[in-house]
Amino acid sequence: MQTLIQNGTVYTNGQLIPADVLITDQTISAIGAHGAFHGNYDHVIDATNQLVTPGLVDVHVHYRDPGQTQKETIKTGSKAAAHGGFTTVGAMPNLDPAPDTPERVANMVKRNQNEGVVHIEQFATITTGRKGDELVDFAGVKKAGAFAVSNDGSGVQTAGTMYQAMAGAAKAGLPLAAHVEDNSLLFGGVMTESDRSKELGLPGAPSVSESSQVARDLVLAKATGVHYHICHVSTKESIAMVRFAKQQGVHVTCEASPHHLLLSVNDINGKDTNYKMNPPLRTEADRQALIDGLKDGTVDMIATDHAPHTVEDKPADFTKAANGITGSETAFCELYTKLVKTGIISLTKLLDLMTAKPADLFNLHNAGHLEPGKPADIAIFDLNNATTIQEADYESKGINTPFTGDRVFGATVMTLVDGQVVYQRKED
Ligand SMILES: [Zn+2]
């Protein structure tokens, strides 16, 4: 079976070039100039005026399955990923039961393979049940197929547990991805303590609840040699410390979410709880520090923290609504429209942050690169025509995002996984 993607602009080897891409069965077999390939192909895809990229990589999604399948399932979550142009994702372990033993991890790996339409890498937890101080069997969960460990959803509260977890993860060769949040510094806050929280009369949590734990962890990461990855980094202090730690040779990476890069406390009106997430939206100065971090390489990758909820979980009361918003289906078009089209970062930079960087830094050898010999995981985007983000188009069960209604460029035209079409835009 051979498929030719012709006449597109192809992102390969860090560059955008006019090229045709030939796929044989599940693999990219050749890349050549426009018109270079002649033959009787089973399938010809015309990508004239379109961008052809490696399938995007998102190391932070929540699929709620098992445990809360009313919010999302492996199937619907992965279809949402495909809609957004993602072909490899990292699924967080805040599930019920949580993948905290080799058997449970092996079961999730099998289910992800059978039920997902994209490649789903599985996180194991750091501690049993994602709470307390009892560490999981790191060597065992790695052998069972976990690609990293995380307690995402909450921070590891004590330094002693984090120190031992890092030592164990380092020994097993597993990256440790940390949700950084010191519960003793939250003070019941539902948004970032700021002028805006005072204006709205909402309880605020100081942003040091994140950055103080980053400070602790960077010291511990240096002492243990672990690959320490910070999930959804969000404060200017965290960015400054990561920048410094990298200079000191600490093996630290971090991700920023589209919402923290595009929104701030100023966007919160107190009623639309699609602006409530954890970490919460920060100040404009924090947002600017994240952008600076993208530009100078302090921020290594973009990850969505796709967190679907039911409508009932997101009532208009900011103090009661669940944290989190969906992200898979809006990430690329939002970032392209608001960061690239505005000239803040280049298209190649955005693509690097969403393909090669996350794949390489998490040792996902089959992801993130559009090159001969690699799996035919490819996304095709329309950069020239504006579309409106609509609820009706979501593949996720969750519609909880503040980006609905936005007029954007960069809609996904098609997504292929192992040479098979897993998403195709409906023609109007
Ligand atoms: Zn988190």
Side-chain angles (χ1 to χ4, degrees):
M1 197 28 208
Q2 285 202 305
T3 301
L4 181 69
I5 303 175
Q6 62 182 12
N7 301 325
T9 299
V10 177
Y11 180 66
T12 178
N13 234 330
Q15 290 184 315
L16 293 162
I17 55 168
D20 292 353
V21 178
L22 187 62
I23 298 166
T24 303
D25 298 323
Q26 304 189 359
T27 309
I28 295 162
S29 47
I31 300 172
H34 284 168
F37 304 114
H38 305 276
N40 272 330
Y41 302 112
D42 303 281
H43 194 188
V44 175
I45 297 164
D46 182 22
T48 301
N49 292 327
Q50 292 171 350
L51 172 69
V52 180
T53 76
L56 306 182
V57 179
D58 181 1
V59 297
H60 193 144
V61 298
H62 297 274
Y63 286 168
R64 318 293 194 201
D65 180 4
Q68 294 183 297
T69 50
Q70 73 280 14
K71 296 182 192 235
E72 196 75 297
T73 64
I74 294 168
K75 181 91 182 195
T76 58
S78 65
K79 284 179 80 169
H83 177 202
F86 293 94
T87 58
T88 297
V89 299
M92 281 297 175
N94 57 336
L95 303 169
D96 187 14
D100 56 4
T101 66
E103 280 159 343
R104 284 176 174 170
V105 169
N107 181 47
M108 286 309 300
V109 168
K110 195 160 58 170
R111 286 197 58 203
N112 290 339
Q113 242 161 35
N114 292 339
E115 296 166 43
V117 303
V118 303
H119 301 293
I120 305 173
E121 298 288 336
Q122 184 63 51
F123 280 94
T125 62
I126 295 171
T127 58
T128 303
R130 217 173 48 80
K131 45 188 181 270
D133 299 314
E134 189 193 351
L135 300 178
V136 304
D137 167 8
F138 291 119
V141 296
K142 173 157 187 179
K143 208 163 158 225
F147 82 116
V149 292
S150 182
N151 268 10
D152 186 55
S154 37
V156 172
Q157 295 303 309
T158 70
T161 299
M162 190 51 129
Y163 179 74
Q164 288 180 311
M166 285 179 171
K171 193 163 167 227
L174 283 167
L176 185 150
H179 171 119
V180 274
E181 182 175 33
D182 186 325
N183 293 346
S184 72
L185 289 168
L186 295 176
F187 308 114
V190 298
M191 65 178 287
T192 299
E193 184 176 74
S194 53
D195 291 343
R196 188 69 186 142
S197 66
K198 286 172 199 123
E199 279 166 28
L200 293 168
L202 286 169
S207 63
V208 293
S209 56
E210 170 179 304
S211 41
S212 63
Q213 206 167 76
V214 169
R216 176 199 78 179
D217 286 357
L218 287 170
V219 176
L220 300 178
K222 183 163 195 194
T224 56
V226 72
H227 171 194
Y228 172 65
H229 176 79
I230 305 175
C231 298
H232 39 57
V233 68
S234 70
T235 77
K236 57 186 189 303
E237 291 80 9
S238 299
I239 293 288
M241 286 186 286
V242 170
R243 186 177 286 123
F244 176 73
K246 285 184 169 184
Q247 288 162 4
Q248 305 302 306
V250 179
H251 189 181
V252 55
T253 57
C254 65
E255 69 191 35
S257 75
H259 46 276
H260 290 115
L261 289 164
L262 300 176
L263 304 171
S264 74
V265 283
N266 302 333
D267 294 295
I268 298 174
N269 66 14
K271 295 200 171 61
D272 185 348
T273 53
N274 288 326
Y275 292 87
K276 185 182 179 193
M277 63 285 287
N278 189 21
L281 295 175
R282 303 297 189 188
T283 67
E284 185 55 26
D286 292 308
R287 191 183 78 83
Q288 200 52 54
L290 293 194
I291 301 276
D292 292 343
L294 280 190
K295 288 183 179 172
D296 76 1
T298 302
V299 174
D300 297 279
M301 66 191 77
I302 288 163
T304 66
D305 194 7
H306 176 77
H309 288 293
T310 62
V311 172
E312 295 73 47
D313 289 320
K314 282 290 204 181
D317 185 339
F318 224 80
T319 61
K320 294 209 174 77
N323 284 309
I325 64 169
T326 58
S328 297
E329 298 176 84
T330 54
F332 180 77
C333 56
E334 281 287 333
L335 292 165
Y336 175 71
T337 304
K338 294 176 182 169
L339 294 186
V340 176
K341 275 196 81 85
T342 52
I344 295 168
I345 60 170
S346 67
L347 177 55
T348 52
K349 177 78 176 174
L350 177 64
L351 291 172
D352 189 41
L353 290 160
M354 299 183 82
T355 59
K357 276 293 191 58
D360 295 351
L361 293 169
F362 276 88
N363 305 310
L364 306 173
H365 299 298
N366 281 327
H369 298 270
L370 200 165
E371 288 164 15
K374 293 284 183 187
D377 294 350
I378 294 172
I380 304 177
F381 296 105
D382 177 359
L383 304 185
N384 296 310
N385 299 296
T387 52
T388 302
I389 297 176
Q390 299 184 84
E391 232 166 70
D393 294 332
Y394 294 143
E395 300 281 351
S396 172
K397 286 191 181 184
I399 54 167
N400 50 305
T401 165
F403 296 127
T404 303
D406 280 9
R407 193 87 181 138
V408 291
F409 293 84
T412 312
V413 177
M414 188 181 282
T415 307
L416 296 100
V417 171
D418 293 327
Q420 300 288 316
V421 176
V422 293
Y423 171 79
Q424 186 159 14
R425 179 166 67 176
K426 295 172 204 87
E427 296 300 330
D428 297 320

